[in-house]
Amino acid sequence: MELTITNLTKEFGDFRAVDNISCTLHNGVYGLLGVNGAGKTTLMRMLTTLITPTAGSITWDGQDIFKMGGQYRRLLGYLPQEFGFYPDFSVEDYLMYIASIKGLRPAVAKQRASLLLKQVGLYKARNKKMKTLSGGMKRRAGIAQAMLNDPKILILDEPTAGLDPSERIRFRNLISELSEERIVLLSTHIVSDIEYIAGEIFLMKSGEFLLSGTAPEIIATMPQRVWSAVVPKAKIETYLGAFQVSNIKTVPGGAELRILSVNPPSGNAIEQSATLEDVFLYYFGEKGDGSDGEI
């Protein structure tokens, strides 16, 4: 199985949302990481054939996905940021309705829905109306509908948006479980959603892939070093203006700052190991005046 993106570009008038990107995906989990507006959703909508590219191509095992039509869509499972449902449908009825749209035979759909409801932890809630579910339960129902046809390609756009930390952990574990023998592409701006489950990560900014690789490989590209420094309360704003600060922890008399800087930001600074969140701040964050030196 191979999903290949070659020189893909999408323009809306004078605006280029996706700018000449290329990559090849095989079995496993891929993370698409970037801030809102980076072009992630536009890319995913092209991968699901909802919109056509301005230039470039997407192929599945050498075949153009737009020429494959329904043959390709039968291989696809998709969870958009917002998915529609009839609020008075029960969870089970909702899945059966989606299964009918996907062309599954009723007996197969019933068996598949039951299996997935157990897998996503919604079997006991199968008779509840969709409108009564929590945000996390709705997202799990969304995953179940995306998996009804046992897709070879599973595309998830900001799947944990609005979920609390415990629901995000449950969701990540579920994605890891579902990733066997298929391609899973997970788009998010939440670093922890992909740091531990994605085999390869693409950093996307302004429609382009800045970097791609494993989390350690991407971390190794960052030229800045990471420091921990305790600063007096009166100097916190000065440090925030001079450096990229990825974390602030209040301590007696001031704050402990996690700072990105080539040089030690202060005499008491202690170097720390970089994380993917530090990399995200480096490439997507900003600092006040652009200085980088000891205060």
Side-chain angles (χ1 to χ4, degrees), residues 104-285:
L104 273 68
R105 297 195 310 273
V108 174
K110 187 78 173 177
Q111 183 180 32
R112 186 75 180 151
S114 179
L115 174 65
L116 286 167
L117 285 170
K118 292 175 182 175
Q119 199 165 15
V120 301
L122 287 178
Y123 189 76
K124 291 182 179 179
R126 65 190 183 280
N127 294 318
K128 286 188 176 182
K129 291 185 176 182
M130 290 291 294
K131 66 182 179 183
T132 67
L133 301 184
S134 68
M137 294 172 78
K138 286 176 183 174
R139 300 310 283 178
R140 281 185 268 151
I143 277 285
Q145 67 80 22
M147 289 292 298
L148 277 167
N149 58 328
D150 194 18
K152 295 299 183 183
I153 308 165
L154 181 59
I155 296 179
L156 310 170
D157 193 0
E158 297 284 357
T160 64
L163 302 190
D164 62 37
S166 63
E167 282 284 4
R168 289 211 303 271
I169 293 170
R170 182 188 181 103
F171 199 91
R172 293 199 298 267
N173 292 341
L174 176 61
I175 297 307
S176 294
E177 184 180 341
L178 295 175
S179 66
E180 295 182 9
E181 298 182 358
R182 59 175 51 88
I183 295 170
V184 179
L185 181 60
L186 168 63
S187 162
T188 186
H189 63 279
I190 303 171
V191 176
S192 58
D193 281 351
I194 61 172
E195 186 168 12
Y196 300 109
I197 64 171
E200 185 169 1
I201 299 168
F202 299 97
L203 261 61
M204 192 170 188
K205 184 176 183 179
S206 301
E208 299 179 301
F209 285 164
L210 292 181
L211 291 168
S212 66
T214 64
E217 286 170 347
I218 289 177
I219 290 169
T221 68
M222 190 175 69
Q224 301 276 34
R225 295 153 74 186
V226 182
W227 309 87
S228 174
V230 176
V231 304
K233 186 175 182 180
K235 289 191 174 182
I236 293 175
E237 289 300 324
T238 301
Y239 276 83
L240 291 177
F243 300 101
Q244 288 181 310
V245 178
S246 63
N247 191 57
I248 303 175
K249 178 182 178 182
T250 301
V251 296
E256 182 180 345
L257 307 183
R258 187 175 178 88
I259 297 170
L260 274 60
S261 173
V262 173
N263 301 307
S266 67
N268 69 345
I270 300 172
E271 189 168 2
Q272 306 290 322
S273 297
T275 67
L276 195 58
E277 286 192 348
D278 297 319
V279 175
F280 187 86
L281 174 67
Y282 175 74
Y283 286 108
F284 298 107

Side-chain angles (χ1 to χ4, degrees), residues 69-89:
Q71 181 187 357
Y72 172 74
R73 285 187 286 274
R74 283 191 290 273
L75 302 171
L76 191 66
Y78 179 43
L79 176 63
Q81 289 188 47
E82 299 292 337
F83 63 95
F85 56 83
Y86 291 106
D88 288 321
F89 272 18

